[in-house]
Structures are given as C-alpha cells and as structure tokens.
Amino acid sequence: MDEFLNFQEVVKNYAKAYAEFEKLQKAKISFIPENGDQKTGVIGEAYIFKYLTDKGYKNVKFGKTSQEAWDIKFKENKKEKKVQVKTVSDYSEKKIISHIVPGFDILYLVSLNKNFYPEKILKVTAKNEWPDIRHKAFPKDRFTYKDYQFVTTDETKEFLEVLKLKD
C-alpha cells in the first residue's frame, strides 16, 4: 500500500476513535470527564474517578476545565479531598508528566500500556504544601522532586481488584 494512502487510513481511523471519545464525553457518563482534548488524560481521569467511586467515596465530582490545580474531588470522613491525575502511556518515549500546579491533596499517577490499559497506579501525597513541578518523568516506584517529602503508594493491585480488571 502507498505510504500516503496508509497514512490517510490511519488518520481516518484515529478520527473515528476520537469522535467516539467525544460522544462519550458529551453523553455525560458519570465517570468520564465532559471536556478534555488530550484523550490519554481523559482515560486516566475516567479510570481514577471510577476507582474512587467504586471504593465507596462520597460526592465524587470532576473539576471544571478551567480548574488547573485539581481534576476530581471527593469526601473522605466528611473532609473534601482534591485529586490531580497525571497520565502517561507507553507511546510516550520519555514518559514526562505534564506540569503539576499546587492546589490539590492527592496526586494519582497513571501509566497506560499501548492498549491504554492501566499497568501502574501510584498515589502520592505530600507531607507539606505541593511545589510547582515541571518536567518530571513517571517514577518506577517512588515519586521524588528535589528535597520535598512525598509518600508514594503503589495502588495498582487494589485498583485492578476494585475495578475488576485483570492484571
């Protein structure tokens, strides 16, 4: 097949998949963010929203698209928690996490394989205020940044169990 024709076919298939994502987002499905152009991020946020909901947290809600500091909020022991979700996929060569802006309580890092299936879920909390973080790669097991104190918990196994996904 001609390389350009092959390119056009791939673009057409990508456009169909992208349009299907847009339909899902506009359908106001509870665990899918209504907005978001970066579909890898939309996938990560949907997974974490569903995970938090299925764990039994109350009042799980998405933030607004103009909200930079957090993506999801929920209630835990009558206290509101704000969550930032950062997602990378195996298609990302360096797995650099997008800019992390302070203003949340919990950071969920989601790594997706080439089928966009979750393969690593890390929950990160800070001992103090969150710093402004840029150009950080997805960690293998522990989140670090300069001399800030973080607690990293690998929740992959629990995540897969709660969502009834196979490892």
Side-chain angles (χ1 to χ4, degrees):
M1 177 182 254
D2 175 275
E3 287 178 345
F4 188 69
L5 288 176
N6 183 48
F7 166 78
Q8 287 177 302
E9 187 65 25
V10 169
V11 169
K12 187 169 110 182
N13 290 335
Y14 180 74
K16 285 180 188 175
Y18 195 96
E20 290 300 313
F21 257 107
E22 289 288 309
K23 285 182 196 173
L24 284 175
Q25 288 177 272
K26 303 253 182 294
K28 299 187 187 294
I29 297 168
S30 66
F31 64 91
I32 299 174
E34 290 181 31
N35 298 299
D37 186 48
Q38 301 301 321
K39 300 311 179 199
T40 302
V42 169
I43 292 167
E45 288 177 30
Y47 273 127
I48 295 302
F49 189 98
K50 182 75 170 131
Y51 174 58
L52 294 171
T53 302
D54 287 5
K55 279 182 73 167
Y57 290 114
K58 303 293 181 210
N59 295 40
V60 183
K61 295 179 182 170
F62 284 108
K64 303 292 181 208
T65 55
S66 61
Q67 174 61 266
E68 292 183 356
W70 57 273
D71 300 308
I72 300 167
K73 65 181 177 180
F74 67 93
K75 290 249 172 121
E76 179 180 42
N77 300 325
K78 297 183 181 181
K79 185 175 180 191
E80 185 175 84
K81 298 283 186 172
K82 293 178 182 172
V83 176
Q84 177 64 257
V85 180
K86 295 297 180 183
T87 309
V88 298
S89 79
D90 276 352
Y91 289 102
S92 172
E93 189 176 308
K94 294 182 180 178
K95 293 191 190 273
I96 300 297
I97 300 164
S98 65
H99 183 200
I100 300 173
V101 179
F104 58 91
D105 305 299
I106 301 166
L107 172 65
Y108 271 101
L109 300 174
V110 179
S111 179
L112 305 171
N113 66 20
K114 289 197 175 180
N115 292 318
F116 295 101
Y117 187 85
E119 63 181 10
K120 186 83 146 183
I121 308 295
L122 298 176
K123 177 182 177 183
V124 183
T125 55
K127 296 213 177 206
N128 298 310
E129 290 293 316
W130 279 89
D132 186 270
I133 302 172
R134 296 174 189 261
H135 311 296
K136 177 79 179 127
F138 194 97
K140 291 189 186 327
D141 56 1
R142 204 167 61 95
F143 188 80
T144 60
Y145 184 76
K146 298 183 179 176
D147 58 353
Y148 287 91
Q149 299 275 322
F150 299 104
V151 175
T152 307
T153 308
D154 186 337
E155 292 195 3
T156 308
K157 185 177 178 187
E158 180 183 4
F159 174 88
L160 295 172
E161 288 171 0
V162 167
L163 295 182
K164 297 175 179 65
L165 299 172
K166 297 191 184 210
D167 197 359

